[in-house]
């Protein structure tokens, strides 16, 4: 009986999430159209929408139907006013807390210094900052439903465990369960690249013809999210993808993950800056010789055909292409979307990456391969985790149950 009950709950979660997602994406939508779109029986639609309306997650509005006279039709739309969540973005030595409505609107935001080391200090001080934030902005609080955390590191999103985190000396920290115990709110954790990929998919998937996509992040860390036939690979495997921690050089530097010569130790932005500084004496006429070595100045040098800057970019794209080509050949990737400060020189970046990929990808796949810059910012990705939890029904059921 327990198994049967659990199965019924899973079906309810799935169906409720489907209905909510369709209303969010296509509303205002009539119940008849909703039934056709979701392929659920009218009776099921009536029951689910009644529960969502009673919980003030969905509301009815009148809307005109083209070609029909008479009274406007009654359609369903998402009701987000009053439903809030706490977004947390963990950066290098800072943490940004933001109270948002579930429709992505920012209510209030505060940036806190966050200079901590070790599991205990990290979790307890973060919990203290959350309490401080809620106390400071208590007059804004209504129905806070969840906590969303995005950060760069080695983590397991499904369990909420952070295995390693640059700058913070984290080792196997069960942050999700800890914050849920402290606040009573469900906590969702994802790496930035996953949040960026989800945001892009939710907002632009209807316009994209490509169904097999690699989202590539080249920043303080190097990471990738893989969409195969419209489905995130790690949502099926429930295993995080650690693209930046494949070995690029057997005799390279020690990485914080414990590996030697990881891709991230060579093509992340801090590594690029280090290499530029080390090579500067070999290029005395370089644009960088008389200015501060920054990614912005390296990009200026690339635009000006500076030999050192072009050498760095060529080396980066060659190493990236070697690893990306394996994924392209396995998954039949059609589109690579890049989120990086290097997008300032996107034309040169994409051209070099394409040239190196062509050498290693089978013709069947490289002929139609597109490389583009991602237009989604980290700030815009704050809502993605909550949106995903609403669309798959997991958070919806908690809200419906009070």
């Amino acid at each position: 009986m327990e198994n049967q009950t659990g199965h019924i709950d899973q079906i309810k979660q799935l169906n409720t999430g489907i209905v909510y997602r369709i209303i969010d994406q296509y509303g205002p939508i009539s119940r008849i159209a909703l039934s056709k779109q979701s392929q659920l029986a009218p009776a099921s639609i009536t029951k689910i929408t009644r529960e969502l309306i009673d919980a003030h997650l969905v509301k009815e509005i009148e809307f005109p139907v083209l070609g029909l006279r008479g009274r406007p039709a009654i359609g369903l739309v998402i009701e987000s006013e009053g439903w809030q969540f706490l977004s947390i973005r963990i950066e290098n030595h800072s943490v940004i807390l933001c109270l948002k409505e579930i429709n992505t609107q920012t209510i209030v935001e505060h940036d806190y210094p966050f200079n901590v080391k070790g599991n205990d200090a990290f979790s307890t001080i973060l919990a203290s900052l959350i309490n401080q934030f809620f106390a400071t902005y208590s007059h804004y609080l209504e129905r806070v439903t969840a906590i969303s955390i995005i950060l760069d590191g080695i983590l397991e999103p499904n369990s909420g465990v952070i295995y390693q985190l640059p700058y913070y000396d984290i080792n196997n920290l069960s942050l999700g369960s800890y914050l849920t115990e402290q606040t009573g709110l469900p906590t969702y954790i994802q790496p930035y690249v996953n949040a960026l990929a989800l945001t892009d998919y939710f907002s632009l998937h209807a316009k994209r013809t490509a169904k097999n996509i690699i989202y590539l992040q080249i920043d303080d860390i190097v990471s990738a999210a893989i969409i195969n036939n419209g489905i995130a690979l790690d949502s099926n495997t429930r295993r995080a993808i650690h693209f930046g921690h494949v070995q690029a050089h057997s005799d390279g530097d020690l990485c914080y993950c414990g590996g030697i010569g990881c891709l991230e130790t060579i093509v992340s932005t801090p590594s690029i800056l280090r290499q530029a500084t080390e090579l500067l004496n070999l290029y005395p006429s370089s644009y960088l010789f008389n200015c501060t070595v920054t990614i912005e100045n390296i990009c200026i040098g690339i635009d000006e055909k500076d030999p050192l800057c072009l050498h760095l970019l060529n080396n980066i794209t060659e190493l990236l292409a070697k690893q990306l080509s394996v994924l392209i050949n396995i998954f039949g990737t059609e589109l690579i979307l890049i989120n990086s400060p290097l997008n300032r020189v996107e034309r040169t970046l994409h051209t070099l990456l394409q040239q190196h990929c062509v050498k290693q990808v089978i013709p069947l796949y490289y002929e139609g391969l597109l490389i583009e810059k991602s237009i989604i910012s980290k700030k815009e990705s704050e809502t993605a985790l909550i949106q995903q939890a609403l669309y798959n029904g997991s958070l919806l059921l908690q809200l419906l149950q009070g």
Side-chain angles (χ1 to χ4, degrees), residues 7 20 167 384:
H7 183 61
Y20 183 91
Y167 315 114

Side-chain angles (χ1 to χ4, degrees), residues 22-159:
I22 293 172
I23 295 172
D24 192 23
Q25 293 179 341
Y26 298 99
I29 184 171
S30 69
R31 287 175 174 81
I32 295 174
L34 182 57
S35 178
K36 292 178 180 178
Q37 185 85 0
S38 65
Q39 297 184 335
L40 295 174
S44 297
I45 293 296
T46 299
K47 184 176 186 298
I48 293 171
T49 55
R50 184 187 301 121
E51 290 180 340
L52 292 172
I53 290 171
D54 289 345
H56 301 287
L57 289 162
V58 166
K59 64 182 178 181
E60 294 180 322
I61 65 168
E62 292 184 345
F63 70 103
V65 179
L66 293 177
L68 294 181
R69 298 181 179 180
R71 295 181 59 185
I74 301 297
L76 299 167
V77 295
I78 297 301
E79 182 175 7
S80 57
E81 186 176 353
W83 289 104
Q84 303 168 338
F85 72 95
L86 178 66
S87 164
I88 301 176
R89 302 196 329 266
I90 297 175
E91 305 279 359
N92 181 5
H93 303 308
S94 72
V95 58
I96 301 96
L97 272 61
C98 180
L99 184 67
K100 301 178 74 76
E101 288 192 347
I102 61 174
N103 68 350
T104 77
Q105 181 179 344
T106 296
I107 301 170
V108 64
E109 180 176 292
H110 195 105
D111 190 337
Y112 297 92
F114 197 54
N115 298 302
V116 299
K117 295 289 184 182
N119 288 14
D120 290 342
F122 186 96
S123 53
T124 55
I125 293 176
L126 182 58
S128 176
L129 289 176
I130 292 171
N131 289 333
Q132 180 182 333
F133 180 84
F134 283 155
T136 303
Y137 301 107
S138 59
H139 52 291
Y140 289 109
L141 302 181
E142 295 188 49
R143 291 170 289 189
V144 182
T145 62
I147 296 174
S148 161
I149 302 176
I150 45 180
L151 69 168
D152 283 325
I154 301 176
L155 60 135
E156 175 51 63
N158 292 300
S159 62

Side-chain angles (χ1 to χ4, degrees), residues 8-22 24-25 48 52 157-158 186-190 198 201-202 232 234-236 238 383-400:
I8 292 171
D9 288 342
Q10 287 180 340
I11 293 174
K12 181 179 179 181
Q13 173 182 317
L14 177 63
N15 290 346
T16 305
I18 289 172
V19 169
Y20 183 91
R21 174 179 58 80
I22 293 172
D24 192 23
Q25 293 179 341
I48 293 171
L52 292 172
N158 292 300
T187 303
Y188 302 93
I189 301 178
Q190 287 276 12
L198 283 170
Y201 179 76
F202 290 146
D234 58 340
S235 67
N236 279 338
R238 301 183 73 83
T383 310
L385 278 61
I386 301 304
Q387 198 169 1
Q388 182 186 46
L390 291 167
Y391 283 3
N392 67 27
S394 58
L395 180 56
L396 277 177
L397 285 193
Q398 296 185 56
L399 301 184
L400 292 174

Side-chain angles (χ1 to χ4, degrees), residues 238-395:
R238 301 183 73 83
R239 302 285 289 176
I241 297 167
H242 299 298
F243 175 75
H245 297 283
V246 296
Q247 190 180 64
H249 283 316
S250 59
D251 58 348
D253 295 332
L254 176 67
C255 180
Y256 64 87
C257 75
I260 300 292
C262 289
L263 185 65
E264 187 170 306
T265 65
I266 305 169
V267 303
S268 65
T269 51
S271 301
I272 296 169
L273 297 178
R274 174 179 52 79
Q275 293 170 66
T277 303
E278 291 172 353
L279 292 172
L280 200 52
N281 288 333
L282 300 178
Y283 294 84
S285 61
S286 171
Y287 169 81
L288 298 179
F289 207 81
N290 295 313
C291 64
T292 305
V293 177
T294 64
I295 289 296
E296 292 79 6
N297 284 334
I298 289 175
C299 288
I300 292 172
I302 291 169
D303 279 334
E304 296 187 358
K305 310 301 181 186
D306 179 85
L308 171 56
C309 298
L310 287 174
H311 168 77
L312 289 169
L313 187 63
N314 185 67
N315 185 49
I316 293 162
T317 53
E318 186 174 15
L319 289 171
L320 283 168
K322 183 177 180 180
Q323 306 303 334
L324 288 169
S325 296
V326 175
L327 299 177
I328 294 167
N329 282 336
I330 292 174
F331 296 107
T333 302
E334 303 159 272
L335 172 65
I336 297 174
L337 282 171
I338 300 177
N339 189 288
S340 173
L342 293 171
N343 279 338
R344 294 181 179 88
V345 288
E346 61 179 287
R347 182 175 299 179
T348 310
L349 171 65
H350 298 172
T351 299
L352 285 173
L353 186 58
Q354 187 110 29
Q355 289 173 354
H356 289 304
C357 283
V358 164
K359 300 173 186 176
Q360 303 169 76
V361 174
I362 63 172
L364 177 65
Y365 291 151
Y366 77 63
E367 289 175 355
L369 180 65
L370 297 175
I371 301 176
E372 300 174 3
K373 73 172 183 179
S374 169
I375 61 173
I376 306 297
S377 69
K378 289 183 175 181
K379 173 67 177 173
E380 291 171 317
S381 71
E382 288 178 332
T383 310
L385 278 61
I386 301 304
Q387 198 169 1
Q388 182 186 46
L390 291 167
Y391 283 3
N392 67 27
S394 58
L395 180 56

